[in-house]
Amino acid sequence: MATRFNMFFGTHDTAQPRQRLKEYPREENELRLRSSPPLNIFEYESANIRVRYEERSGMADGDRPLSKRRNTIDVTTGVLADHELCNSRPGSASKVVADNRKRLLERLNIEHEPSVDLQTHMANKGMKLGWSLAQPLPIPARNDGAPGSTYLELGGSMMTNLDWNNLKILNWFTDNGVDMSLELIEGVTGCNMYDILIVNSQCARKLCEIGVMDEQRSWHPADISSFRDDVKRIDGSQDFIFLPINDGYDNTTGTHWTMLLIHCQKRASPTEAGEYKVWWFDSLGGKSKRSYKIAQVVVKGVQRTLKCRGYLANNLHMNKTAIVSKEHCPNQILDNKSDIDEGGSACGPFIWGITQDITRYLVLGRRAGVSSNELGRGIDDILPHLRNRFEFNSANWRTAIQNLITRERRMRIAKTGSDDWWDTLHLYQSSPGFTRAQGAYQIWPTHLRNGAPAPVVPVYIFLY
Amino acid sequence: MSDQGSPNQHKPEDAGSEHLNIKVTDNNNEVFFKIKRTTQLKKLMDAFCDRQGKNPNSVRFLFDGQRVNPTDNPDSLDMTDGDTLEVHQEQIGGC
């Protein structure tokens, strides 16, 4: 069966049951692993987390069934690798990972790998060695099952049990669901390495508040200083800014999600006036007038924020030309391949889908050496093909978001016994002076963290 | 505005004091709370929602632009006396 590669799904052919993973002989996977040496190796390490990511290529698309791809992804992200490393068998896939790690250590001139007594570590965490993906996730102690309890927390977003259920039972997307799904894209693609920023809905709402200030009477740069913590990620260093727009940012609940994309062209000096371009993606064909007005106000907020940061952004404004025309923009009523029973409430999945599609275009372009200005101009070229190329399937996207969230949570729990963000709970308990608030900024750009060294950002891109 | 005490009446306290005064505002109302540094903010959130007649699941609490977890406490967030928690309505969309 012909399959289409997708970074998040592995393939659109979701009919492959996951249980079949065990039916494939391990030797085949080993051969695959050996035949495609990793192009790049990324390793992240904190107090008690050691995660390794590998980027591979050399395998034709469709050459590798989902079940085998999935196995490779799990091994390289370390979910299975750790307990496999303990019981490493000669020639197993885990040995390949171990060999790669050894080679990396040699390259880095590290004589001895820090000893990790995983068995003791996992026993301390109350986890049984040999815990596998087939077993249900252990429920962290702080999640008491109540709707308001935290299901998963990331650096800039959190999700409760209620939000998780909303995601599964096709309810409308909440801001929590939107923020988490977008932040996962940011983490998966490594956006902050390529000057791409995906802000969360809380930040976008603050920008709306800044934009709505009356310029003649009350607005003054000093007013924005009170928002500095809320909008600190908008600092003029980004080339592309994605902003989720809800039509309820003026303190109502809202009914519709749309996506705003701003391209800030590179300039020679920060004080030079830059060129800006705005695109607004609406899955209702640009008909939602209220969302359009809110988006205009948000753009005004971005312009004022950049101005306060010392960037001349006078020509940053939004008019009708920013609306991606209904001929080009996928429509949630006309183009959605899911039935209303399977994939209703499609505007939330739409903004996730459009963001992951364009982000992937930008990231892969940057990795191939294309400048951000060229990529920005290229967006206009790809838009006419967007509706044909874009497979609008909100049910699939909901599944993809659930998979990403589950994978993030599973990996964190498997590694640390906690679903806390970067296991900060453990960190600030064990080291005096380390606070949760500091931990939350670990993924943010270097210049926002007072000159601390930039962390290695994991990249999960698999080019089979 | 609030019947729980005005911030002007609060004496400056030592940094190591056990209690904190925290303002909770939702643009329309301001409510002042005095809580222990180690008390979970869930207690404060529930009290605020109860007072305003809101469902705790339909509002978002933010401190310095960061979402506040019910299991957080002022110590874990590095809060100081007089800090403000913002409350916002949740946003949804689907049509």
Side-chain angles (χ1 to χ4, degrees), chain A residues 111-369:
Chain A
E111 288 186 3
H112 301 290
E113 186 174 0
S115 61
V116 181
D117 184 0
L118 192 75
Q119 198 157 4
T120 313
H121 168 73
M122 292 178 81
N124 290 340
K125 294 285 182 187
M127 294 175 69
K128 193 179 165 187
L129 198 64
W131 178 83
S132 76
L133 292 173
Q135 293 172 359
L137 278 174
I139 297 175
R142 69 172 179 167
N143 189 348
D144 57 5
S149 287
T150 306
Y151 184 79
L152 179 64
E153 184 183 16
L154 300 180
S157 60
M158 61 169 282
M159 180 173 248
T160 62
N161 291 334
L162 188 66
D163 299 312
W164 174 246
N165 283 335
N166 281 344
L167 190 61
K168 288 201 293 188
I169 63 173
L170 307 182
N171 262 359
W172 284 15
F173 256 52
T174 60
D175 45 1
N176 283 350
V178 166
D179 291 349
M180 176 151 293
S181 58
L182 293 181
E183 188 170 351
L184 284 169
I185 294 180
E186 203 174 16
V188 164
T189 53
C191 281
N192 52 1
M193 290 200 297
Y194 303 105
D195 297 329
I196 300 164
L197 175 64
I198 306 176
V199 304
N200 60 21
S201 63
Q202 308 296 342
C203 180
R205 184 215 301 265
K206 283 292 172 192
L207 289 165
C208 183
E209 282 183 35
I210 293 172
V212 86
M213 290 177 188
D214 187 282
E215 190 153 7
Q216 297 301 320
R217 281 166 32 198
S218 65
W219 181 72
H220 187 270
D223 296 336
I224 293 182
S225 66
S226 63
F227 291 105
R228 64 185 181 279
D229 288 324
D230 305 307
V231 296
K232 59 190 156 197
R233 299 186 76 191
I234 310 277
D235 62 355
S237 68
Q238 292 86 16
D239 297 332
F240 296 93
I241 307 174
F242 288 86
L243 301 118
I245 304 294
N246 188 288
D247 56 349
Y249 279 162
D250 49 353
N251 219 18
T252 58
T253 306
T255 56
H256 186 50
W257 288 104
T258 53
M259 180 52 81
L260 195 63
L261 170 60
I262 300 177
H263 174 217
C264 318
Q265 285 198 9
K266 287 276 188 208
R267 65 201 95 184
S269 75
T271 52
E272 192 178 304
E275 289 295 321
Y276 298 87
K277 188 155 176 60
V278 182
W279 294 269
W280 181 58
F281 298 92
D282 178 12
S283 56
L284 293 177
K287 285 181 182 170
S288 30
K289 299 273 189 303
R290 186 177 166 81
S291 298
Y292 175 72
K293 283 181 181 166
I294 297 269
Q296 272 186 317
V297 175
V298 170
V299 170
K300 188 80 179 166
V302 175
Q303 188 250 339
R304 285 176 176 174
T305 306
L306 288 175
K307 194 174 175 184
C308 289
R309 306 266 192 230
Y311 289 86
L312 292 175
N314 293 332
N315 58 357
L316 173 56
H317 57 269
M318 179 176 170
N319 54 27
K320 294 279 183 191
T321 58
I323 303 176
V324 178
S325 74
K326 60 183 180 183
E327 284 78 25
H328 299 160
C329 189
N331 189 301
Q332 73 178 65
I333 297 168
L334 302 175
D335 300 329
N336 193 355
K337 291 185 170 56
S338 306
D339 291 339
I340 192 77
D341 296 336
E342 295 173 348
S345 313
C347 66
F350 166 79
I351 64 165
W352 183 87
I354 206 94
T355 307
Q356 68 99 355
D357 194 83
I358 295 178
T359 307
R360 194 163 56 127
Y361 155 75
L362 296 173
V363 167
L364 293 180
R366 287 296 302 277
R367 289 166 74 90

